[in-house]
Amino acid sequence: MAKAFASQGDLTEKKITFDEVGRDLWAFTAEGDPNSGVIIGDDSVMIVEAQATPRLANKVIEKVREVTDKPITHLVLTHYHAVRVLGASAYNADQIIMSDMARGMVAERGQEDWDSEFQRFPRLFEGHESIPGLTWPTTTFSDSMTVYLGNRRVDIKHLGRAHTAGDAVIHVPDENVMFTGDIVEDHSACYCGDGYFGDWGNTLDAIRAYDVDAIAPGRGAALVGKDAVERAIESTRDFVNSTYAPAARVAARGGDLKEAWDAVRAACDPKFADYAIYEHCLPFNVSRAYDEARGILHPRIWTDKRDLEMWEQLQG
């Protein structure tokens, strides 16, 4: 029997940090676990990313209540992944916002993603019994939309495909701060199992063009200052390129998935082995890179069965 995924043995609670990345803008981070963002307006609060369960969402709410008693009225979900969205019910937000494409992904593969991630990440899904079901948006957008929290303007945009087909970023112009979801990570592996390697770099360029003063990334520490922002964008780019290129070379010569795995490990282990969730992400990243290099442009749906079949193949 193949050994367990790295994440299945990760049962240690992570240290939570809550950093102000701009005036009344906060990043909730937890040592490589999924981050959330907090945007405080004149009379209300917007949350970015719900967390995997209401139990984890309540940890975000506890931090929010340390800095404001304003009601939480908006929840923005940058994409459809279960670890990002299934805690939504805890916030009781009036509006739940996703891109049109992200909503479509919930319809196409939301339940399969939930089932898959549930068995990959047991710690994140503690208290899963309180999840009422799939999270559906009340509001969607195609390319962009703007929300006003009183006088505070919040722009929500789809800048291109990267981590998923429907990724959204959230930009707060008055502080020039961006919440990027999993398009940008800091010292944490990118999960590319549903990604678009050929588009990811262009989407990073679109983020870079904003020349923001701070980023709250999808995973990893808050990035305050242009130097930190630039470093994280470029390290994310390096991670994505270093994963795809070896797999593409193997696919081009007709090699199999196990050969792609070995090639990607040779390229990435020396640079990224100490990144959070690196070992967990690697098999999914290699599989998706190998698929894309062979012309499978739209990521195949992950299921708990497909997860195990892929992992057994890689373990030989």
Side-chain angles (χ1 to χ4, degrees), residues 9-316:
D10 179 6
L11 302 177
T12 303
E13 287 287 330
K14 306 303 182 184
K15 179 183 177 181
I16 291 170
T17 57
F18 195 56
D19 297 315
E20 193 166 20
V21 294
R23 179 183 57 83
D24 289 333
L25 303 172
W26 297 83
F28 175 100
T29 69
E31 296 185 297
D33 276 359
N35 293 344
S36 289
V38 178
I39 301 171
I40 302 172
D42 294 332
D43 302 307
S44 63
V45 177
M46 173 183 286
I47 302 293
V48 179
E49 312 287 42
Q51 298 285 321
T53 64
R55 179 186 76 90
L56 289 174
N58 280 319
K59 294 188 176 188
V60 178
I61 294 170
E62 288 173 7
K63 289 297 183 182
V64 171
R65 291 300 166 233
E66 291 177 4
V67 295
T68 183
D69 60 0
K70 296 173 183 177
I72 296 169
T73 55
H74 296 76
L75 172 63
V76 182
L77 304 172
T78 66
H79 59 286
Y80 72 95
H81 283 155
V83 293
R84 296 292 181 180
V85 306
L86 292 181
S89 62
Y91 300 98
N92 294 311
D94 297 331
Q95 288 194 52
I96 300 175
I97 300 169
M98 284 184 179
S99 69
D100 291 333
M101 182 62 73
R103 187 192 186 283
M105 302 302 277
V106 174
E108 180 191 42
R109 59 183 71 194
Q111 187 62 54
E112 290 85 352
D113 182 71
W114 181 356
D115 295 342
S116 173
E117 294 198 0
F118 178 80
Q119 65 92 22
R120 296 185 203 174
F121 280 106
R123 176 175 54 81
L124 292 181
F125 284 95
E126 290 177 6
H128 64 91
E129 301 86 356
S130 62
I131 300 170
L134 291 173
T135 298
W136 296 94
T138 63
T139 306
T140 64
F141 66 95
S142 178
D143 298 316
S144 66
M145 67 177 289
T146 296
V147 174
Y148 285 91
L149 302 176
N151 289 320
R152 169 157 266 180
R153 174 176 171 164
V154 181
D155 294 327
I156 308 168
K157 296 175 178 286
H158 172 65
L159 298 178
R161 301 185 301 189
H163 176 68
T164 71
D167 295 331
V169 301
I170 298 87
H171 183 237
V172 183
D174 64 57
E175 288 291 300
N176 198 26
V177 170
M178 185 173 282
F179 300 80
T180 64
D182 286 319
I183 302 172
V184 176
E185 312 285 30
D186 181 50
H187 215 77
S188 180
C190 301
Y191 174 75
C192 310
D194 299 300
Y196 292 80
F197 287 93
D199 294 356
W200 206 312
N202 291 335
T203 304
L204 288 173
D205 289 341
I207 290 171
R208 190 180 189 183
Y210 275 79
D211 193 27
V212 294
D213 295 315
I215 280 178
R219 294 178 188 263
L223 304 162
V224 179
K226 293 186 186 296
D227 289 346
V229 167
E230 177 69 10
R231 174 186 55 77
I233 289 173
E234 291 312 306
S235 67
T236 300
R237 189 191 311 274
D238 186 28
F239 186 97
V240 171
N241 292 342
S242 296
T243 301
Y244 182 71
R249 286 193 291 269
V250 171
R253 61 174 172 77
D256 62 19
L257 181 62
K258 179 61 166 65
E259 292 175 84
W261 163 262
D262 292 339
V264 174
R265 289 215 77 126
C268 289
D269 283 7
K271 294 192 283 187
F272 308 118
D274 65 337
Y275 276 26
I277 69 167
Y278 174 73
E279 291 291 343
H280 163 69
C281 289
L282 195 63
F284 304 97
N285 294 357
V286 172
S287 181
R288 174 59 194 146
Y290 183 70
D291 274 359
E292 185 169 319
R294 293 184 301 136
I296 301 174
L297 300 183
H298 190 53
R300 292 185 287 149
I301 296 174
W302 289 103
T303 65
D304 50 357
K305 180 180 178 182
R306 183 185 166 211
D307 287 358
L308 295 175
E309 289 175 348
M310 176 268 295
W311 190 225
E312 288 172 0
Q313 184 179 355
L314 291 178
Q315 293 301 301

